[in-house]
Amino acid sequence: MHIPEQLFAALGHEVRLRCLLLLQREGELCVCELTHGLDLAQPTISRHLAHLREAGWVEDHRQGLWVYYRVSSRLPAWVREVLATTAAGIVNSAPFAGDLLRLGAMPNRPGARGCA
Amino acid sequence: MHIPEQLFAALGHEVRLRCLLLLQREGELCVCELTHGLDLAQPTISRHLAHLREAGWVEDHRQGLWVYYRVSSRLPAWVREVLATTAAGIVNSAPFAGDLLRLGAMPNRPGARGCA
DNA sequence: CCGGAATATGTGGCAAATGATATATACTGC
DNA sequence: GCAGTATATATCATTTGCCACATATTCCGG
């Protein structure tokens, strides 16, 4: 859909904004990484990811047991620019900076490194 | 306040986004100009302007009978950039383009031209 | 002080978002 | 097919947001 006010409505919730910031920075993350990074219950993360998915801001693809999310590849240029500007503007403040630290310190991350 | 998710939540409503876009383009507008541009009831506009004011997006000042609103001068640089990017991205699509046209065609506009 | 114009706020009802918890689904390895 | 892990969805209670309408407030001119 990509309706402008729906973009901001989606960003207008702390959990979704934190998720999108991590995805914008890391490129692609599975649900358990987001759950660990934000330190929230898994259903909470899944619900907000579903919200972002239905609004068209993220895409998901399953890979075995894990479902990976990333910022949608079909966004208008101005939307990508808004996301990038926002990420740069808030990445060093709470709670976003802490999310990145927690994610970086997460043990047994799945993915390319084959730790799981 | 300028808490990121509160800023975005304020934009997450069509009426408020349309108001903010007109303000971003025109610099300063009174309530009756916004009411005419969006073609909505005055209490609707006032209510959403109050929402934007409380979120920190706009400032108002009274000048006689009219109350003028403008984009707040104390927004962080990245927020102003998000707003400018958004405005440029959506200004040519509905309903935003129509709002600008209606505002431009409004008769008896108050302000510097002293028409009222 | 009074009437009228511009703007703001109060109220009631209702739809939608949220949070916490429980449960269902999808996949892997055996 | 079974057990276990990862993820998604259902449910319920609560809160929040919104709309339409009525009314209040602020200000100006006379």
Side-chain angles (χ1 to χ4, degrees), chain A residues 27-99:
Chain A
E28 191 167 84
L29 295 170
C30 71
V31 177
C32 64
E33 290 173 312
L34 288 163
T35 300
H36 186 97
L38 301 200
D39 192 25
L40 290 172
Q42 174 265 320
T44 299
I45 301 293
S46 274
R47 152 114 35 148
H48 287 290
L49 286 173
H51 189 143
L52 289 170
R53 185 193 338 122
E54 286 155 15
W57 308 124
V58 301
E59 300 166 339
D60 65 322
H61 65 100
R62 183 177 277 273
Q63 192 167 326
L65 272 181
W66 294 273
V67 176
Y68 287 89
Y69 283 83
R70 61 175 170 234
V71 175
S72 173
S73 55
R74 294 180 189 180
L75 295 177
W78 73 268
V79 173
R80 272 196 298 272
E81 194 176 336
V82 163
L83 289 179
T85 303
T86 300
I90 66 182
V91 69
N92 288 321
S93 52
F96 312 100
D99 293 342

Side-chain angles (χ1 to χ4, degrees), chain B residues 31-32 42-43 46-47 66 69:
Chain B
V31 177
C32 63
Q42 173 266 320
S46 273
R47 154 101 11 108
W66 293 273
Y69 283 83

Side-chain angles (χ1 to χ4, degrees), chain B residues 30-92:
Chain B
C30 71
V31 177
C32 63
E33 290 173 314
L34 289 163
T35 299
H36 186 97
L38 272 64
D39 192 25
L40 290 173
Q42 173 266 320
T44 299
I45 302 293
S46 273
R47 154 101 11 108
H48 286 293
L49 286 172
H51 193 144
L52 287 171
R53 185 187 341 116
E54 286 155 17
W57 273 113
V58 300
E59 301 165 339
D60 66 320
H61 66 98
R62 184 178 276 273
Q63 192 168 324
L65 223 41
W66 293 273
V67 176
Y68 286 90
Y69 283 83
R70 62 175 170 236
V71 175
S72 172
S73 55
R74 294 183 189 176
L75 292 173
W78 71 269
V79 175
R80 272 195 298 274
E81 192 177 339
V82 163
L83 183 55
T85 301
T86 300
I90 67 181
V91 72
N92 289 320

Side-chain angles (χ1 to χ4, degrees), chain A residues 6-22:
Chain A
Q6 287 186 358
L7 170 65
F8 295 115
L11 297 185
H13 188 285
E14 191 194 300
V15 172
R16 290 190 294 267
L17 186 55
R18 290 163 73 188
C19 284
L20 264 177
L21 180 53
L22 283 187

